[in-house]
Amino acid sequence: MPNKNEWAIFGLGVLAGTVGWKILKSESAKQVYVKLVTTGLQAKAGYDKVIENAKANVDDIVAEAKYRNDCQTEQGVDESCPS
């Protein structure tokens, strides 16, 4: 059988959970959530731009490497192929 101290701790836990739930559902908390999500979306947009630029650079490098490879395969390694 739980003693008074255990019941008090249980009651405080229930009270803390109830108060916490009300705080989480408050309008000011919702405004904080919106700001956090907005910041996250802005960070994601910036990250997407960085990734897009990196992919474009990789595509350019691969295209140039293929061109050089094709040139050297067709003509052999000579002066007319870019090095």
Side-chain angles (χ1 to χ4, degrees):
M1 175 81 50
N3 62 27
K4 288 182 182 181
N5 192 24
E6 290 172 341
W7 281 110
I9 291 172
F10 175 76
L12 287 174
V14 170
L15 180 64
T18 302
V19 170
W21 182 254
K22 289 189 183 248
I23 290 171
L24 290 174
K25 292 189 73 172
S26 70
E27 189 60 36
S28 60
K30 287 180 184 178
Q31 291 174 0
V32 170
Y33 306 150
V34 169
K35 287 181 183 178
L36 288 172
V37 170
T38 300
T39 303
L41 290 173
Q42 290 171 347
K44 182 185 178 297
Y47 173 77
D48 287 344
K49 286 181 184 178
V50 168
I51 295 299
E52 185 177 323
N53 288 338
K55 284 181 181 179
N57 288 335
V58 168
D59 289 344
D60 290 346
I61 291 168
V62 169
E64 187 172 342
K66 284 182 181 179
Y67 170 75
R68 289 181 184 183
N69 186 49
D70 291 344
C71 181
Q72 290 175 359
T73 301
E74 291 173 2
Q75 299 177 7
V77 179
D78 63 8
E79 304 282 323
S80 63
C81 290
S83 55

